[in-house]
Amino acid sequence: MIAELLMVEQRSGDDDLDGAHWILEGGRILPGVDDNRRMAELRSGLLRHTGVRSVEADADGEDVEQTLSVLHDPEYLEALGEVSEEPVVMPELTPPGLPPDIPVSSGLVSAAREGVRTAITAAERLAEGSRFTYALCRPPGHHAGPAWFAGYCYLNTAAAAVQALRDRGVSPVGILDIDLHYPNGTAAIVETMTDASLYSLHASPVTNVAELTVTPSSEREHVVEFEGSPDAAEYLEALAASIDALAGSSRAIVVSLGYDIVAGDPHGSWGFSPEIFTEIGGLLAASGLPVCVIQEGGYALDTLATCSHAFATGLLGAPA
Ligand SMILES: [Zn+2]
């Protein structure tokens, strides 16, 4: 049988104005680059592979609410539910020790909820027996913590997938975060899930947590940091070791997949070519485990389709 990748497509939110407004990075305010054009590029790259099949995100609203209530504080969810169309900064809802780096608006919250629906659907299909699923969701989620938003992230989609798997009896779950940035939100949320472990490979210095505070939050968190742009062989060796460890301890892997590790990413600093994702997909397929992919970052519009296609090729093999 030929392997198949189910690509779960996000529904539109309540508001068309759901692109990122701006982001504070390195002390400067930059225009936001997370919007639906990213999804269109990623989608076209995935669909170029004949083993990719599209399905709609169809988890019901109750499931979304129930899952979110496990991940985020009730006051936080309530505060997000009350924001208006106009983007607003909320210093009380930022990660410990950091200034606010993004605003929030009702359009972004609505898109984030649809992102969670997409992640839950991808997890559900995995629990029902699909080997590979891919939540094509935005905004990204891995910087969203129990009661904070940051770095384009408002609700934690990867943690939603983990919880949806646990709810359906798939446990223990391994999380592999290969976005360029450290998943401070995911780390904080899964810290209390004793049947989940987190492996992250990311750039150092870490820009999205307060200085000198990156320490694994538990023995179930493992971090590999690279100072400067790593060599591909060195990176893939560390990745293979992380996947091996997850394969030995988990029944399924949730992958927080960021394409911001390639050269030219507006929020990136590394020099990988898109073909690195063929290697990454191949290592994941070789693990033998079911893989639920959650879309995190990756903002270089001119290379995203090449990246997602390379990933599908690695995961599924080259089409016949
Ligand atoms: Zn990132």
Side-chain angles (χ1 to χ4, degrees):
M1 203 178 83
I2 296 164
E4 179 183 72
L5 171 62
L6 275 192
M7 176 183 76
V8 183
E9 303 216 44
Q10 182 165 328
R11 297 185 191 174
S12 300
D14 301 332
D15 193 335
D16 290 340
L17 298 171
D18 68 0
H21 303 279
W22 51 261
I23 187 163
L24 175 72
E25 190 179 69
R28 290 192 308 147
I29 298 218
L30 308 173
V33 290
D34 169 45
D35 60 45
N36 294 321
R37 290 175 302 170
R38 296 179 55 230
M39 297 299 105
E41 292 298 327
L42 293 169
R43 180 178 191 277
S44 82
L46 287 170
L47 286 176
R48 221 183 293 153
H49 194 294
T50 51
V52 175
R53 187 159 67 86
S54 161
V55 295
E56 200 196 64
D58 61 0
D60 66 34
E62 207 173 301
D63 209 348
V64 173
E65 296 315 311
Q66 165 59 28
T67 305
L68 285 174
S69 74
V70 178
L71 313 178
H72 297 284
D73 291 357
E75 298 78 18
Y76 176 69
L77 294 171
E78 201 173 313
L80 288 190
E82 286 168 2
V83 299
S84 63
E85 224 169 273
E86 277 304 301
V88 58
V89 171
M90 301 181 80
E92 68 277 25
L93 303 181
T94 58
L98 290 180
D101 70 345
I102 46 167
V104 62
S105 62
S106 55
L108 279 160
V109 172
S110 174
R113 293 185 98 80
E114 291 306 327
V116 168
R117 188 195 309 279
T118 310
I120 293 171
T121 305
E124 190 168 42
R125 294 305 188 96
L126 205 77
E128 288 167 358
S130 291
R131 169 88 199 280
F132 302 128
T133 63
Y134 191 124
L136 190 58
C137 52
R138 71 154 285 268
H142 70 158
H143 298 310
W148 72 70
F149 60 82
Y152 293 140
C153 305
Y154 301 90
L155 297 170
N156 199 303
T157 37
V162 172
Q163 183 56 28
L165 287 169
R166 299 169 83 219
D167 282 342
R168 288 158 181 79
V170 181
S171 164
V173 181
I175 308 156
L176 176 68
D177 190 304
I178 52 171
D179 185 277
L180 180 77
H181 303 96
Y182 174 69
N184 56 323
T186 308
I189 292 174
V190 305
E191 191 184 336
T192 56
M193 297 180 183
T194 53
D195 57 349
S197 51
L198 169 63
Y199 285 72
S200 170
L201 283 74
H202 55 263
S204 176
V206 173
T207 53
N208 51 283
V209 293
E211 222 172 320
L212 303 177
T213 61
V214 181
T215 43
S217 53
S218 78
E219 60 192 18
R220 289 173 288 102
E221 181 183 338
H222 308 264
V223 298
V224 183
E225 299 184 339
F226 297 93
E227 287 175 28
S229 184
D231 171 67
E234 177 199 3
Y235 178 84
L236 290 169
E237 195 179 315
L239 179 68
S242 296
I243 293 174
D244 263 1
L246 284 167
S249 62
S250 313
R251 278 186 57 206
I253 306 184
V254 170
V255 180
S256 271
L257 179 58
Y259 294 113
D260 46 6
I261 61 174
V262 297
D265 189 278
H267 290 303
S269 56
W270 287 5
F272 289 148
S273 69
E275 286 68 39
I276 189 95
F277 288 102
T278 304
E279 306 289 337
I280 293 171
L283 287 171
L284 285 166
S287 75
L289 286 180
V291 176
C292 174
V293 177
I294 304 297
Q295 187 63 54
E296 301 286 356
Y299 308 94
L301 287 179
D302 55 347
T303 58
L304 286 179
T306 312
C307 288
S308 62
H309 185 256
F311 179 77
T313 302
L315 197 67
L316 303 173

mmCIF file of all heavy atoms in Angstrom, residues 142-143 179-181 260 297 299, ligand 1:
data_model
loop_
_atom_site.group_PDB
_atom_site.id
_atom_site.type_symbol
_atom_site.label_atom_id
_atom_site.label_comp_id
_atom_site.label_asym_id
_atom_site.label_seq_id
_atom_site.Cartn_x
_atom_site.Cartn_y
_atom_site.Cartn_z
ATOM 1 N N HIS A 142 3.000 27.501 18.988
ATOM 2 C CA HIS A 142 3.912 26.969 20.016
ATOM 3 C C HIS A 142 4.455 28.004 21.022
ATOM 4 O O HIS A 142 5.050 27.618 22.011
ATOM 5 C CB HIS A 142 5.039 26.137 19.378
ATOM 6 C CG HIS A 142 6.049 26.914 18.611
ATOM 7 N ND1 HIS A 142 7.324 26.434 18.360
ATOM 8 C CD2 HIS A 142 5.991 28.136 18.026
ATOM 9 C CE1 HIS A 142 7.995 27.328 17.662
ATOM 10 N NE2 HIS A 142 7.216 28.358 17.439
ATOM 11 N N HIS A 143 4.239 29.295 20.748
ATOM 12 C CA HIS A 143 4.629 30.302 21.758
ATOM 13 C C HIS A 143 3.473 30.657 22.699
ATOM 14 O O HIS A 143 3.653 31.447 23.621
ATOM 15 C CB HIS A 143 5.128 31.586 21.087
ATOM 16 C CG HIS A 143 6.357 31.393 20.243
ATOM 17 N ND1 HIS A 143 7.482 30.732 20.709
ATOM 18 C CD2 HIS A 143 6.636 31.765 18.964
ATOM 19 C CE1 HIS A 143 8.397 30.713 19.738
ATOM 20 N NE2 HIS A 143 7.911 31.314 18.679
ATOM 21 N N ASP A 179 10.615 23.932 14.632
ATOM 22 C CA ASP A 179 10.592 25.344 14.244
ATOM 23 C C ASP A 179 11.926 25.945 14.705
ATOM 24 O O ASP A 179 12.584 25.412 15.608
ATOM 25 C CB ASP A 179 9.410 26.022 14.946
ATOM 26 C CG ASP A 179 9.203 27.468 14.537
ATOM 27 O OD1 ASP A 179 9.894 28.352 15.095
ATOM 28 O OD2 ASP A 179 8.354 27.720 13.665
ATOM 29 N N LEU A 180 12.319 27.054 14.082
ATOM 30 C CA LEU A 180 13.592 27.697 14.466
ATOM 31 C C LEU A 180 13.589 28.138 15.931
ATOM 32 O O LEU A 180 14.628 28.159 16.584
ATOM 33 C CB LEU A 180 13.826 28.919 13.571
ATOM 34 C CG LEU A 180 15.104 29.709 13.829
ATOM 35 C CD1 LEU A 180 16.314 28.993 13.240
ATOM 36 C CD2 LEU A 180 15.006 31.119 13.237
ATOM 37 N N HIS A 181 12.399 28.480 16.410
ATOM 38 C CA HIS A 181 12.300 29.118 17.731
ATOM 39 C C HIS A 181 11.922 28.137 18.841
ATOM 40 O O HIS A 181 11.220 27.156 18.597
ATOM 41 C CB HIS A 181 11.277 30.254 17.665
ATOM 42 C CG HIS A 181 11.608 31.281 16.619
ATOM 43 N ND1 HIS A 181 11.058 31.250 15.352
ATOM 44 C CD2 HIS A 181 12.465 32.328 16.641
ATOM 45 C CE1 HIS A 181 11.549 32.256 14.636
ATOM 46 N NE2 HIS A 181 12.415 32.924 15.388
ATOM 47 N N ASP A 260 10.869 27.992 9.094
ATOM 48 C CA ASP A 260 11.712 29.188 9.241
ATOM 49 C C ASP A 260 13.187 28.850 9.468
ATOM 50 O O ASP A 260 13.985 29.734 9.768
ATOM 51 C CB ASP A 260 11.180 30.136 10.338
ATOM 52 C CG ASP A 260 10.806 29.436 11.625
ATOM 53 O OD1 ASP A 260 11.046 28.207 11.751
ATOM 54 O OD2 ASP A 260 10.265 30.117 12.522
ATOM 55 N N GLY A 297 5.825 27.975 12.233
ATOM 56 C CA GLY A 297 6.277 29.118 11.436
ATOM 57 C C GLY A 297 6.753 28.761 10.034
ATOM 58 O O GLY A 297 6.562 27.640 9.548
ATOM 59 N N TYR A 299 7.971 31.714 6.805
ATOM 60 C CA TYR A 299 7.351 32.946 6.297
ATOM 61 C C TYR A 299 7.918 33.415 4.965
ATOM 62 O O TYR A 299 7.509 34.465 4.470
ATOM 63 C CB TYR A 299 7.491 34.059 7.358
ATOM 64 C CG TYR A 299 7.001 33.619 8.717
ATOM 65 C CD1 TYR A 299 7.866 33.093 9.671
ATOM 66 C CD2 TYR A 299 5.637 33.664 9.015
ATOM 67 C CE1 TYR A 299 7.410 32.643 10.892
ATOM 68 C CE2 TYR A 299 5.163 33.215 10.243
ATOM 69 C CZ TYR A 299 6.061 32.705 11.176
ATOM 70 O OH TYR A 299 5.597 32.243 12.384
HETATM 71 ZN ZN ZN B 1 9.515 30.119 14.420
#
